[in-house]
Amino acid sequence: MIKIGVLGSGTGSNFAAIAEAINSKEIIGAEIAIVISDVKNAKILDRAAALGIPNKYIPADDFKTKLDGKQEQDYIDALQKANVDYIILAGFMRMIKGGILNAFPLKIINIHPALLPAFPGLHSWKQALDYGAKYAGCTVHFVDAGMDSGPIIAQSAVEVKDDDTAETLHARIQVQEHIIFPKVIQLIADGKIKIEGRKVKIG
Amino acid sequence: MIKIGVLGSGTGSNFAAIAEAINSKEIIGAEIAIVISDVKNAKILDRAAALGIPNKYIPADDFKTKLDGKQEQDYIDALQKANVDYIILAGFMRMIKGGILNAFPLKIINIHPALLPAFPGLHSWKQALDYGAKYAGCTVHFVDAGMDSGPIIAQSAVEVKDDDTAETLHARIQVQEHIIFPKVIQLIADGKIKIEGRKVKIG
């Protein structure tokens, strides 16, 4: 049984997809040990509470866009106290840096709403639309010190339609996110993920 | 009827796919008026000859990696003499720059073996493999002054398999190239391509 810690700043739709997959036994061998948010009244905390999952607001606002300093240590302490094996970033709107990466090497997993390495950074579905790309998508990847640059575990391609708005495209990408992220959790619970350099292989 | 000029340096498999689609009337309303290569004995010239299509070797080796100077003018002259409306780059291994772009504004079309903007440049299927991307693909785009950066007309996503080699992945990408490039030619012949800023819309 692997224990997962979830960090999120918003509605937590990916957290909900994973929690529901665990509850319905679509995912076997994983449990969510704790949900932590840097936003006091984030919906992700309410959702965790409703599912009976331990959840906690931990301030992180000593820095604006990253998790760092004493507050980073607060996160590490809470995650270690909950005995988590893996950390999932589910809409956590801060850059993850050295301290927590060193505490959980290659154990932090993010989902990004683009087919990386295309469109890293914020609002990547809008970036794809503005670029005129015919494919957008989403990527589940290990977090490293770069911006959305770690080894890729899974991706799903989503066709961009001529009449897409940022909202319609984002909605179709999120459908795929809620499919591939639970699948990756199952692969991890089954010990099927092998990392070779920056290549991730399944099997 | 639109007239197409094809530039290629190698085997011309994309040229062959388009020429066959025209011969079999899969593409209606387009003809290939001339095939030009910067490589003296390139297979693309033999293929053109076998299909009865005018073809010509025009040296371009005053510069190593681009088409420029007097030799660029030789290309422009030959293409204008053949009355071409559009130019297709089918494995033409030189950067296209200002002179020919100005002579044929938004009329030069390239195919690139990646889901741009990911993996511009050379050997992009190998770049995708080395990066550990789970999707590769191909992109048909208008050529601008940048490197593989012009407005995208069509893309096809190709899943990367764990046991792919550069060769197996490239082969699957080429299958998609030979599907989407003829489709784009048909759309152009039908006048269905609209360019809005850097977005290309069909219809």
Side-chain angles (χ1 to χ4, degrees), chain A residues 112-120 124 127 135 139, chain B residues 115-119 131:
Chain A
H112 180 81
L115 281 183
L116 292 171
F119 310 120
S124 43
Q127 290 185 51
Y135 277 93
T139 301
Chain B
L115 281 183
L116 292 171
F119 310 120
Y131 192 88

Side-chain angles (χ1 to χ4, degrees), chain B residues 32-100:
Chain B
I32 298 174
I34 189 164
V35 174
I36 306 175
S37 183
D38 60 329
V39 174
K40 190 158 194 177
N41 295 309
K43 193 172 168 196
I44 192 170
L45 295 176
D46 298 336
R47 277 181 150 161
L51 290 163
I53 296 171
N55 61 89
K56 202 166 178 179
Y57 160 60
I58 304 184
D61 48 11
D62 280 358
F63 296 89
K64 198 172 171 193
T65 59
K66 62 183 177 175
L67 183 65
D68 208 347
K70 190 217 159 287
Q71 296 184 322
E72 181 189 46
Q73 193 56 50
D74 295 341
Y75 275 72
I76 295 171
D77 292 346
L79 290 159
Q80 287 178 335
K81 197 174 159 202
N83 275 314
V84 309
D85 303 296
Y86 286 89
I87 299 168
I88 283 173
L89 306 184
F92 189 65
M93 299 306 285
R94 291 178 180 276
M95 287 285 285
I96 291 292
K97 294 289 189 181
I100 194 166

